[in-house]
Each structure stands twice: as C-alpha cells, then as structure tokens.
Amino acid sequence: MDNLWISALASADRARLEPHLHEKPFAQGQMLYDAGEEVDEVWFPLNGVVSLMTVLPEDRMIETAAIGREGLVGVTCGPMNGRASARAIAQIEGSAACCPADVFSDALAKSEAMRTALSKFTEGLFAQVQQTAACNAQHRLDERLARWLLTLHDRADADRFDLTQSDIAGMLGVRRATVSEVGSELEGKGLIRRGRGWVEVLDRRALEGASCGCYSAMQGVMRDLGIPHP
C-alpha cells in the first residue's frame, strides 16, 4: 500500500525521497516521538493510524489530530530538526516509510511543488486541530464519539479495529465509564458493534448522521485543499 502524499508528488520529487525511504512497523500504543523531543525522522504512514496528542498536566493527554496514509508525521514541529509540540502515538498498528529529517528538508529546499504540497497538508492538519478543539469543547460526547470513529474508519482500511474502552476514553479525554455508556447508545441503534478490545462500524451512513457537523466540515477542508482522501 502506498502513502498518498508521496504518490501525489511529481516523479522528480518522489525521486528525491525514495532512495532514502525505509519501512518501519509501528505497534498500537507505540510512541513515535514525544512532545519536546527533537524529530529526526519523517514518517509517511502506509497503513494504520497515528494520533497527535496534546499533553496535559499529570501526564493526561487528548487527541487533537489523526493521520493515516493521506499524510505524514513529524513535520508539525515547525522547521525541520525542530522540537515536537505534540506526542505522536500509534492508534492502530501499521507501518510507515521513514525518511531522515535532513533529507526531507533538503528535498523541500529544492522543490517549490513539494513545499506547496506540504503547506496544503499542514494547513489541513491545523484545521483538524482547531475543529477538534472546538468539537471537544462544545459538542455532546455521543456526537464526538461518532465523529472520532468516522475519522478512524477513514484511515483504518477496515470496518473493525482493535480499540479498548480505555483507548477511546484516552483519545477523547473522558472517563472510561462514560465512553462505555455512550458506546452502548450507538450500539443499541445498530451503528457499531463492540467486543473485548475491538469496535466494528456497522452502518457508516447512520454514523455520519449521528456525528456533529465537525466531521463533514473537515472533509470539506480536505477537498478544498486537494488532500487525498485516505
């Protein structure tokens, strides 16, 4: 499976990166890098999902963005070789094509088209972070959970994915018991099915209807920016 961001580049730009790419797997829950760390690699997911987490006091955290094979991880810290402002954690296991940060920085310096592609992606990512923050502050948990599951479903390449109640609670910044209660509501409506350590999307269209408007708003932003749909 290809990374869509790399695939959309012109052949000359892909040639700047491809000799330096090496595939690395990541396990669910694996931290790719932590907030404050120097980022020395850029990750281009081939499958799986990586969550960007904002770290709160007492090592609590909440997800502010999700990235799959439509994008890249490791350039949200500003200039290359800068320090990360968020923690990157694998939400669903997968693999990524990785490139040394200095190689990617050199490729950007040589290609305006690549800089434009990166700018569009980071603009879309920033919009996702803003929309997620507003959603977490204003919308009901059932709407937020539906929106989050849709975002994950887009990038998971499967209807069923491994997730515990604790995983979901950590992503949404709420108590596990609350997630269980709201998950039961969605399951009772036939939108999802849950088991020990997994969730399955049963009715995608109905789940979109149960979500707040934040999901469709973000899809619109991605379309307007020309970001490939995962």
Side-chain angles (χ1 to χ4, degrees):
M1 188 172 292
D2 295 331
N3 176 272
L4 299 179
W5 191 87
I6 292 179
S7 296
L9 296 175
S11 57
D13 288 333
R14 291 198 304 272
R16 301 180 199 277
L17 301 178
E18 287 173 346
H20 306 281
L21 296 174
H22 56 284
E23 187 170 343
K24 291 174 65 172
F26 50 79
Q28 185 180 31
Q30 178 181 337
M31 185 166 61
L32 277 55
Y33 54 80
D34 203 358
E37 289 185 352
E38 291 188 6
V39 179
D40 57 6
E41 276 191 311
V42 180
W43 299 64
F44 300 91
L46 304 172
N47 49 63
V49 183
V50 177
S51 294
L52 297 185
M53 311 293 297
T54 296
V55 180
L56 303 172
E58 300 177 356
D59 205 33
R60 296 174 58 215
M61 55 186 180
I62 187 169
E63 184 194 70
T64 51
I67 302 170
R69 67 190 188 100
E70 82 283 358
L72 54 159
V73 181
V75 295
T76 57
C77 51
M80 300 313 303
N81 301 318
R83 294 185 180 275
S85 58
R87 180 178 294 172
I89 293 180
Q91 186 60 237
I92 294 180
E93 69 176 7
S95 63
C98 295
C99 175
D102 57 349
V103 170
F104 187 66
S105 182
D106 288 344
L108 287 175
K110 296 173 181 176
S111 172
E112 182 177 356
M114 193 182 294
R115 293 194 298 272
T116 298
L118 179 61
S119 178
K120 288 183 177 181
F121 173 74
T122 53
E123 183 178 344
L125 190 63
F126 183 55
Q128 184 183 166
V129 170
Q130 289 181 305
Q131 195 77 45
T132 300
C135 184
N136 288 341
Q138 296 295 325
H139 292 145
R140 300 192 315 265
L141 182 57
D142 60 322
E143 296 175 322
R144 291 170 53 200
L145 178 56
R147 183 264 304 166
W148 184 75
L149 288 172
L150 288 167
T151 300
L152 209 61
H153 189 235
D154 286 340
R155 295 162 174 81
D157 299 312
D159 291 332
R160 174 171 162 166
F161 26 86
D162 292 336
L163 283 174
T164 66
Q165 299 292 335
S166 295
D167 293 333
I168 299 172
M171 292 299 106
L172 297 177
V174 297
R175 295 185 303 112
R176 177 180 172 180
T178 306
V179 167
S180 179
E181 179 181 342
V182 175
S184 294
E185 293 178 13
L186 296 182
E187 190 169 23
K189 295 176 181 178
L191 278 59
I192 63 172
R193 180 167 55 191
R194 301 175 300 163
R196 184 178 294 275
W198 57 268
V199 176
E200 182 178 5
V201 174
L202 296 179
D203 191 334
R204 164 82 191 203
R205 181 169 295 183
L207 194 61
E208 291 179 4
S211 172
C212 54
C214 293
Y215 175 76
S216 60
M218 277 313 309
Q219 292 299 99
V221 169
M222 292 180 69
R223 285 194 300 269
D224 290 345
L225 290 172
I227 298 172
H229 192 278

